[in-house]
Each structure stands twice: as C-alpha cells, then as structure tokens.
Amino acid sequence: MAHFYRKLLEESEQKHEETVIATQSSSKTVKGPQGAIPNLTIVRPPEFTPKSDAELAHLAREQGKDVELNEENQIVDKRELLSAGLNLSAPNTRRIGLHTTKKADASPVEAHHAVGSAASRKEVNERRMREISTQLAEERERMVKEKERQDSEATARLVARRNNDMDIQMAQERYQERKRRRLERGSEATEA
C-alpha cells in the first residue's frame, strides 16, 4: 500500500510541475480557436501600496463618511469605506497577533476585537459568567414558582374533593333511610 501511495503522489507531483512550467512559459494571452483571448486573472497593480487605516479614515472623513478608529488606529467598521465594484481586502486582521513579534512592554491580556470596542478576553468571560449566573437565577426562580403553582393546584383539588355540609347531611339521611329499611325488614321477618 505504501508503494501505491508513493507512486500516486509522485504522479500528481509530476503533473503539478508540468502545469506550473506550462503556465510560466505561456504569455499573458492564450491562443484559442477565435484568436488571442486575454488573460482574465485579477492581479494588483504593481504601484499598489496599501494605505494605513488612519489614512483611509482621513480620506473617508473628507468625503463626509463617518468612520471610527480604535485605540490602535484601526478602523472599527470598514463597511463605510466600501464602494461599488471589486473591494480587494487588506490582510486578514484576525490572525494579526500570530504574525507580529512580541513586544516586551505588551500587556499579557489578549484583546478581543469581535465586539464593537476592543475588550479583553477576561472582560468577555466575566460578562458571559454574569449572563449565565442571571440565567441560572431566573431558572431557579421559575422552578420555585412552578412548584408553588403545582402545590396550590394540588391543595385546590383536595379542597374541592372534600365534602361540604350539604353533602354530609345528605349522606346521613341516606344512612338513616337504609337503617330504617333494615329495621323494617328485620321486624317483618320476625313477625312471619
């Protein structure tokens, strides 16, 4: 099996190298049945230099757009800067901490940029813990109220089942009637 996979890998690697060589040797246009077809690959112009967020914010403010910068001079919400057409994005800022070198005076708290303003991981965790504790308290309170409601319903059913004075009086009358009939039958049986 190892030999099979090694051969497969070598073949795919050879095809890849041939493709790379073919693309490097070809010119910017490709000859096709209709003649020269221009290469439609989107590339950045050679004189393209990315502007810093502070410069972009300054230009946007001149155009009348409302742009916010955070403490690190980074634009908080770049949607205001978008225009029609292709919006080539800047490098991914989510992994910027992995590529930068560690500074000696940098704080040990990692900044969390997912919220509107920069918040530390500790603050985010504390907020989550507060939310969870309030949810637990609300759930406990709901359970207590539910238990009280069930207890009150049970006592209401029990009270509704109990006999009232009218029911007791009617039961006594029925008992007296049965007793009187038994006595009458007993006296008839002794006479006969």
Side-chain angles (χ1 to χ4, degrees):
M1 286 301 285
H3 178 69
F4 170 75
Y5 285 118
R6 189 177 326 118
K7 283 292 191 188
L8 187 65
L9 181 64
E10 288 173 0
E11 288 175 6
S12 65
E13 196 172 313
Q14 183 181 8
K15 286 180 184 178
H16 176 69
E17 287 176 8
E18 290 172 358
T19 308
V20 169
I21 291 171
T23 57
Q24 289 175 351
S25 65
S26 67
S27 62
K28 289 286 182 187
T29 59
V30 177
K31 297 285 184 181
Q34 293 88 14
I37 300 173
N39 188 1
L40 299 178
T41 305
I42 299 172
V43 294
R44 291 183 190 233
E47 66 274 354
F48 179 76
T49 56
K51 295 180 181 179
S52 69
D53 283 354
E55 293 171 349
L56 289 172
H58 180 69
L59 291 173
R61 286 187 185 124
E62 286 178 356
Q63 295 174 357
K65 295 179 180 177
D66 183 31
V67 178
E68 284 185 50
L69 292 175
N70 62 10
E71 294 83 24
E72 298 166 356
N73 280 336
Q74 294 176 341
I75 296 176
V76 174
D77 188 5
K78 293 189 178 188
R79 287 180 290 181
E80 286 287 329
L81 304 178
L82 297 178
S83 60
L86 292 175
N87 292 303
L88 298 175
S89 63
N92 190 354
T93 58
R94 282 178 256 167
R95 291 189 225 129
I96 201 156
L98 300 175
H99 300 296
T100 58
T101 58
K102 297 274 184 180
K103 296 179 183 175
D105 59 343
S107 66
V109 178
E110 180 183 335
H112 190 283
H113 299 286
V115 291
S117 62
S120 70
R121 177 79 60 193
K122 182 179 177 184
E123 291 169 343
V124 171
N125 288 341
E126 287 174 357
R127 187 175 68 241
R128 286 182 184 155
M129 291 303 293
R130 282 194 306 269
E131 289 174 359
I132 290 171
S133 63
T134 56
Q135 289 174 355
L136 286 173
E138 289 171 357
E139 182 65 19
R140 281 190 213 112
E141 185 176 327
R142 187 189 68 77
M143 293 296 284
V144 167
K145 287 181 180 178
E146 179 69 20
K147 178 110 172 93
E148 289 174 359
R149 186 186 63 79
Q150 287 176 352
D151 290 345
S152 65
E153 287 178 359
T155 55
R157 283 193 302 267
L158 189 64
V159 167
R161 258 191 254 157
R162 287 187 182 157
N163 295 330
N164 55 20
D165 291 338
M166 183 77 152
D167 292 338
I168 293 171
Q169 185 179 2
M170 290 174 62
Q172 283 178 345
E173 288 175 4
R174 289 191 305 266
Y175 169 73
Q176 295 294 331
E177 181 68 26
R178 287 190 305 269
K179 187 176 178 182
R180 188 177 51 81
R181 284 185 194 156
R182 246 184 285 135
L183 289 175
E184 286 177 4
R185 279 190 216 142
S187 64
E188 289 176 5
T190 55
E191 290 175 8

